[in-house]
Amino acid sequence: MTRSRLATLTAGALGVVVLAACTPGSNTASTPAPTVSSVNTDAAKLGNVTLTIWDQEVRGGQAAQMQKLNDEFQKAYPNIKIKRVSRSFDDLKTTLRLALSGNEPPDVVEANNGRSDMGEFVKAGQLLPLDKWAEAYGWNERYPASVRQYVSYSPDGKTFGEGNLYGLPQVGEVVGIYYDKKVLADAGVTAPTTWADFETSLATLKGKNQVPLMLGNLEKWPAIHVFGTIQGRTTPADQIRELAFGRQGPTWNTPENTKAAQTLVDWVDKGYLNPGFNGEDYDPAWQAFSKGTGAYLIAGTWLQADLQKAMGENVGFMLPPGDTADAKPVATGGTGLPFSITSKSKNPDAAAAYINFITNAKASAVLATTGNLPLADTAEQQSAGLQKDVFTSFAKAVDGDGLVPYLDYATPTMPDTLGAALQDLLAKKATPEQFLATVEKDRSAFVAKNG
């Protein structure tokens, strides 16, 4: 890959230096890859600024915290006006790529951490490295290296998990198992403490004419979380991490991954999933669960606020159990979508001040009170009910080094490949071996090209 210095740009009073980088999929230096040489953290003296911010904080608790923090930011810095554009996760993913390639992209965006989004944007020179602001604001002390790896790339975007910082998340995430206490009690089932107990309870619930597990998989990505939960019971965590970061060495074609895929097929054959799950939207599925349809829902902590509001004390949350009650936790998760600064922003210092404001200790308190899972200062927040379950589970996963990345981080095409392959597996259009061959083909092709 050829890299050469092309130009030096100045954004306001900032030292934003532009180097050559490769356009994704090419071997020619054509797209600037910016660096930042100096920063200003005195937001009150940045003059009158309008920040355009794209986020995906649309659900109840998410939207509430974002609105409150934006209001408080504008009160603290009346010279900085926020122009907010809020879209669903899927809408944001669809429109962000085009917006970043335009001449007037947003200043701040929430970009999915994986190679298909943040990795490609870094390659294309569309995001600013945040390291200078991290040093100035103390973000490296706010978030440990185990968190920062989820938002770090080499400047050329080839290496994921190390290098420059390209985003800062607000919230932690972990995928676990929500359960309806009344449905379990009516079936004579107690919350399982081992994986064997969990699978036994699925059979018991099916025998009681209950829907054991709810899934809405029309968007394809929800099944990735279900498969990842099963995979964490069959496959060593280190192997999952290597696969999810798209690194050389591991392969999908292993007996452990085959067992995970076969288990998912067995669940379908045994009728553990709600009818029509592959054609049902994600939101109606969890909303049906909140109204008493289904005993379990495998999903992330982003649903906490909405489920607690709808179900009160009737809903619980647990990490996927292991072979024994005291087994080391393994769960998909890490951070929520991080906030990044676009390289064409005319106000990157104001953008950084905004990101600092929505991730500081006061913001963590706002996140907790609005039903979210703050990534920083989690243990210092008051919690009860479902929120306490979620906070305790996340702390257990982090303290036990049990978080493994989302599998679709692995390659730029893996979200589509894995999602479609899982739909085919669930629909019995592909065997476990064919499913694994499909995702391994995607992985190996990317690794061969990326190095």
Side-chain angles (χ1 to χ4, degrees):
M1 182 177 293
T2 302
R3 293 174 60 86
S4 62
R5 183 179 295 274
L6 288 182
T8 300
L9 298 181
T10 300
L14 284 178
V16 179
V17 181
V18 179
L19 303 175
C22 292
T23 299
S26 76
N27 290 317
T28 58
S30 59
T31 308
T35 62
V36 178
S37 59
S38 61
V39 300
N40 182 354
T41 59
D42 193 349
K45 296 182 179 177
L46 293 176
N48 293 326
V49 170
T50 296
L51 279 182
T52 300
I53 298 167
W54 282 24
D55 68 59
Q56 57 97 50
E57 308 299 311
V58 297
R59 293 194 176 95
Q62 296 173 321
Q65 64 88 10
M66 200 80 269
Q67 186 61 55
K68 183 172 179 59
L69 289 175
N70 283 353
D71 290 344
E72 292 182 356
F73 179 79
Q74 295 214 222
K75 184 177 180 180
Y77 303 106
N79 57 310
I80 301 176
K81 180 182 178 182
I82 291 176
K83 182 181 178 182
R84 182 186 177 199
V85 178
S86 190
R87 302 175 186 272
S88 71
F89 173 82
D90 291 301
D91 286 346
L92 185 70
K93 187 175 179 63
T94 301
T95 56
L96 187 55
R97 190 179 305 275
L98 180 61
L100 291 183
S101 64
N103 291 325
E104 295 185 358
D107 297 282
V108 177
V109 298
E110 269 195 289
N112 200 337
N113 316 50
R115 289 184 182 275
S116 65
D117 296 283
M118 180 174 282
E120 291 293 280
F121 302 152
V122 171
K123 272 187 178 180
Q126 292 169 335
L127 300 180
L128 288 178
L130 306 183
D131 301 80
K132 289 293 184 183
W133 288 292
E135 182 179 347
Y137 283 114
W139 293 345
N140 293 339
E141 288 71 40
R142 185 175 300 171
Y143 293 147
S146 60
V147 168
R148 301 198 306 274
Q149 69 174 340
Y150 283 89
V151 285
S152 295
Y153 281 89
S154 59
D156 59 9
K158 295 181 68 173
T159 303
F160 183 17
E162 56 188 74
N164 293 335
L165 189 73
Y166 283 97
L168 206 66
Q170 282 184 298
V171 298
E173 287 182 356
V174 62
V175 174
I177 303 173
Y178 292 96
Y179 55 95
D180 186 313
K181 296 178 182 178
K182 184 177 184 304
V183 172
L184 291 188
D186 289 346
V189 172
T190 57
T193 58
T194 68
W195 188 249
D197 287 346
F198 176 67
E199 292 204 285
T200 297
S201 73
L202 295 175
T204 300
L205 289 157
K206 180 62 180 176
K208 299 284 186 178
N209 295 318
Q210 294 285 351
V211 176
L213 180 62
M214 287 297 292
L215 173 64
N217 194 43
L218 181 62
E219 297 88 346
K220 301 180 183 178
W221 56 262
I224 297 175
H225 300 160
V226 179
F227 175 79
T229 295
I230 299 172
Q231 185 193 36
R233 301 326 101 199
T234 67
T235 307
D238 288 345
Q239 288 186 26
I240 299 173
R241 292 191 181 100
E242 293 296 299
L243 286 172
F245 278 128
R247 293 170 180 164
Q248 287 188 331
T251 173
W252 279 87
N253 294 320
T254 67
E256 294 86 356
N257 286 324
T258 303
K259 183 178 180 181
Q262 184 60 56
T263 298
L264 188 55
V265 172
D266 291 344
W267 286 8
V268 174
D269 289 341
K270 294 175 181 176
Y272 291 169
L273 301 178
N274 49 299
F277 56 84
N278 254 350
E280 184 167 358
D281 279 311
Y282 181 73
D283 285 342
W286 70 256
Q287 289 162 356
F289 170 79
S290 75
K291 297 174 182 175
T293 300
Y296 297 116
L297 175 74
I298 294 178
T301 47
W302 52 85
L303 291 180
Q304 171 209 315
D306 293 297
L307 290 176
Q308 183 155 6
K309 181 179 180 181
M311 301 176 73
E313 295 297 318
N314 190 41
V315 60
F317 179 86
M318 60 182 163
L319 292 176
D323 290 339
T324 61
D326 60 352
K328 182 178 179 179
V330 178
T332 301
T335 77
L337 265 62
F339 288 79
S340 300
I341 303 175
T342 61
S343 58
K344 292 180 182 177
S345 171
K346 297 176 182 177
N347 307 290
D349 274 331
Y354 174 78
I355 292 174
N356 180 63
F357 191 90
I358 64 171
T359 58
N360 64 21
K362 290 183 178 178
S364 292
V366 171
L367 286 163
T369 57
T370 49
N372 297 280
L373 173 59
L375 191 52
D377 306 308
T378 310
E380 299 174 13
Q381 311 306 322
Q382 297 293 320
S383 61
L386 178 62
Q387 189 178 47
K388 185 175 183 180
D389 287 354
V390 166
F391 283 20
T392 302
S393 296
F394 184 71
K396 182 179 179 182
V398 171
D399 293 345
D401 192 26
L403 290 178
V404 294
Y406 294 96
L407 294 167
D408 55 354
Y409 282 1
T411 78
T413 51
M414 189 57 82
D416 291 336
T417 299
L418 182 56
L422 278 169
Q423 266 209 335
D424 286 347
L425 178 70
L426 288 161
K428 309 296 288 290
K429 295 180 179 177
T431 66
E433 291 76 14
Q434 290 170 329
F435 158 72
L436 294 173
T438 298
V439 291
E440 173 58 22
K441 182 180 180 181
D442 185 299
R443 187 206 68 82
S444 59
F446 170 76
V447 171
K449 183 178 180 181
N450 189 61

